[in-house]
Amino acid sequence: MSPDGKWSIGELAELAGVTVKTVRFYSDRGLLPEAARSYGGHRRYGPEALDRLRLIRSLRTLDLPVPDVGRVLEHEDALEEVVAGQLRELGTQLAALRWREAALQLLQECTPSERADRLRLIGAVTAPPSTAVLARFWRRWLPARLPARLTGAIIEQAVPQPPADPTPAQVLAFARLHVLVTGDCDGGELCQPAAHQADKGYRPAVLYDGLGEAYELAGKQLLAQRPPHEGEALDCFVSAYAGSHGTRDTPDFRRMLSGQLAMDPRIDHYWELTAEVSGPSQPMPGAAHDWLCAALDIRAARSAA
């Protein structure tokens, strides 16, 4: 150290084990203030600059961007927020890498004749994939003027979240799901059922309030591997339709409902792909709906007999 207690830029760089270019870079960006200038206009640094430079290097070793390093240097309590932000970003990057790895395995495992089709499917989604297109499908498929709270609850339950560590089969299922919901209806399986059509006199809010409870009850039966049967779940299911239609749950209504649901457009393929993406741990609403329809058909058949 010189008699005035200051270091030159070269001396500071040598003490810190960095290049002069590195010291100049941080100085020019205001992260490493100079203590003074020599008579010749050269930068001079005090002992505190060495500690600050070492802290900067530690933060940069963690790959923190220079603006974030500046925030931490100015406000020590900003470190927690900056670290949390970096962890979120790393989580996204790791999820993308795992998704890409599974996609590459999918291509590696398929036959040459399948490769072009799978490349097309995989190329249609980002890594990690976004669920926005699935949410848009449900907003379009659900009845108009459904309360926002119900729409949000239905979308949360019906839209599968991409697995954190997907298998090749899950990548393929999600890609196929993406293609399915971006296709046109054209009178096919993605058209709305009768209960969604405004001119049928239904009250969709009453219907979906009741269906949510019915699906939850049926889901417990599915987890217990019980076959479709009469009981609380079916009663709740029928009551949801009856209440939405302003009528009572009667044997005649159950027969009518059984026939109507049998003719309604269905989104079975959506639920099949969703089950592949999510796994078997939680029954999907589609599986619960099928269980309830089967229970209703059994009841209607008995009533007719």
Side-chain angles (χ1 to χ4, degrees):
M1 184 175 289
S2 61
D4 64 355
K6 303 293 187 297
W7 289 307
S8 68
I9 190 171
E11 290 168 334
L12 177 61
E14 184 177 357
L15 287 167
V18 299
T19 64
V20 169
K21 183 179 180 180
T22 297
V23 177
R24 185 176 290 113
F25 174 83
Y26 292 133
S27 293
D28 290 344
R29 278 153 183 78
L31 301 183
L32 196 63
E34 306 160 14
R37 287 265 179 165
S38 68
Y39 289 116
H42 297 291
R43 307 175 200 233
R44 308 290 289 173
Y45 299 91
E48 68 282 353
L50 182 57
D51 290 335
R52 193 174 179 92
L53 184 54
R54 286 171 174 164
L55 176 58
I56 292 170
R57 288 189 66 198
S58 296
L59 294 171
R60 291 290 289 154
T61 299
L62 296 173
D63 208 25
L64 293 184
V66 171
D68 284 344
V69 171
R71 288 174 57 201
V72 173
L73 293 174
E74 292 300 320
H75 306 283
E76 187 176 339
D77 57 357
L79 179 59
E80 185 175 348
E81 181 183 346
V82 167
V83 168
Q86 283 295 295
L87 286 173
R88 286 193 297 271
E89 185 175 337
L90 279 174
T92 301
Q93 292 173 1
L94 288 171
L97 287 172
R98 286 191 288 265
W99 196 269
R100 285 170 55 195
E101 180 184 29
L104 289 170
Q105 289 172 348
L106 179 67
L107 293 174
Q108 187 179 51
E109 294 168 1
C110 71
T111 64
S113 60
E114 296 173 314
R115 197 154 291 150
D117 181 58
R118 292 193 176 183
L119 270 172
R120 178 183 59 81
L121 288 169
I122 292 169
V125 298
T126 58
S130 169
T131 59
V133 67
L134 303 182
R136 283 197 298 272
F137 159 73
W138 279 98
R139 289 191 179 93
R140 186 175 69 248
W141 189 81
L142 287 168
R145 297 182 299 279
L146 198 65
R149 64 172 180 83
L150 271 177
T151 300
I154 293 166
I155 289 174
E156 183 178 355
Q157 189 177 28
V159 172
Q161 294 304 308
D165 191 10
T167 64
Q170 286 174 313
V171 168
L172 182 59
F174 194 95
R176 285 174 171 163
L177 194 58
H178 183 277
V179 170
L180 176 68
V181 300
T182 53
D184 294 327
C185 175
D186 291 334
E189 65 174 331
L190 299 186
C191 287
Q192 292 179 315
H196 292 189
Q197 298 168 18
D199 60 345
K200 297 297 181 181
Y202 286 92
R203 292 183 291 171
V206 174
L207 174 64
Y208 274 95
D209 260 332
L211 286 182
E213 183 181 352
Y215 291 161
E216 183 178 353
L217 292 169
K220 294 176 182 178
Q221 302 298 315
L222 283 164
L223 286 174
Q225 298 184 339
R226 297 190 180 118
H229 60 270
E230 296 182 57
E232 184 182 8
L234 179 59
D235 291 344
C236 186
F237 181 67
V238 176
S239 293
Y241 278 97
S244 70
H245 203 33
T247 189
R248 294 183 302 109
D249 177 3
T250 65
D252 285 343
F253 179 79
R254 291 198 175 202
R255 285 194 294 272
M256 182 277 294
L257 181 62
S258 176
Q260 175 191 299
L261 293 178
M263 293 185 295
D264 267 345
R266 297 173 61 86
I267 53 172
D268 291 341
H269 194 36
Y270 178 94
W271 294 120
E272 290 166 2
L273 293 171
T274 299
E276 289 185 51
V277 173
S278 301
S281 59
Q282 183 61 42
M284 291 288 101
H289 185 84
D290 287 346
W291 189 95
L292 289 162
C293 284
L296 179 63
D297 289 344
I298 292 171
R299 178 67 182 85
R302 287 176 180 172
S303 176

